[in-house]
Amino acid sequence: MLRLPLLALGLLLAFGTAAQAQDNPVIARMTAFVATYNAQDAESLAGFYAPDAALLPPGQASILGREAIAQHYAQAFAAGARELQFKTFDIRGFDTSAVEIGETVVMMGEQRIVGRYMHLWEVIDGQLLLTRDMYHVLKVD
């Protein structure tokens, strides 16, 4: 039963980033991720990550696991992080995983932060989850 969704994931990812959100499961997940981020719901946001996921923020130690990731986002929201936007540049799909590269813009107080990210998405128990999330800052306006 899981084989059909995995095959569909592979076929959809093969079309690259030109596909719309309804046609590409990674873009659909990122769209939902951004909506959850912008709702400032740290617990729900952590649900986009695998239980043993790693978040690799710039200049900080790795953040491991959903609970620690939820705490990271709660602290970011408390510090003024808001209005996340994203643009995906590349998606490479494999049997049960995909690598996504893109850029983000987020407001932190009055500063506009532009960053680049790389995500590793994996199908785990029939759900597309982030297992690795690495980003860095390109500029701060």
Side-chain angles (χ1 to χ4, degrees):
M1 184 96 168
L2 183 59
R3 189 164 178 76
L4 183 58
L6 296 179
L7 177 60
L9 173 65
L11 289 173
L12 290 172
L13 292 174
F15 292 107
T17 57
Q20 297 296 320
Q22 68 269 17
D23 298 330
N24 188 302
V26 171
I27 300 295
R29 287 296 280 169
M30 271 303 291
T31 300
F33 180 95
V34 167
T36 303
Y37 185 102
N38 290 337
Q40 302 214 336
D41 185 347
E43 289 297 321
S44 294
L45 198 60
F48 283 85
Y49 291 84
D52 63 347
L55 175 61
L56 308 164
Q60 298 178 32
S62 299
I63 300 167
L64 305 175
R66 278 186 180 152
E67 185 176 322
I69 290 169
Q71 290 173 355
H72 168 80
Y73 283 116
Q75 290 170 350
F77 298 147
R82 67 185 193 289
E83 299 176 31
L84 177 65
Q85 300 172 31
F86 80 101
K87 180 175 183 176
T88 298
F89 296 130
D90 188 36
I91 300 173
R92 303 285 169 107
F94 306 97
D95 288 340
T96 60
S97 63
V99 175
E100 172 198 15
I101 298 171
E103 288 187 0
T104 58
V105 175
V106 68
M107 295 301 295
M108 178 63 83
E110 296 303 313
Q111 294 182 315
R112 180 178 176 267
I113 301 171
V114 179
R116 184 166 295 134
Y117 67 89
M118 180 184 288
H119 289 157
L120 176 59
W121 294 92
E122 293 187 45
V123 176
I124 299 172
D125 296 329
Q127 194 174 22
L128 189 58
L129 298 173
L130 282 165
T131 57
R132 299 293 180 267
D133 180 352
M134 180 171 48
Y135 66 95
H136 66 274
V137 174
L138 297 174
K139 68 178 178 174
V140 178
D141 297 329

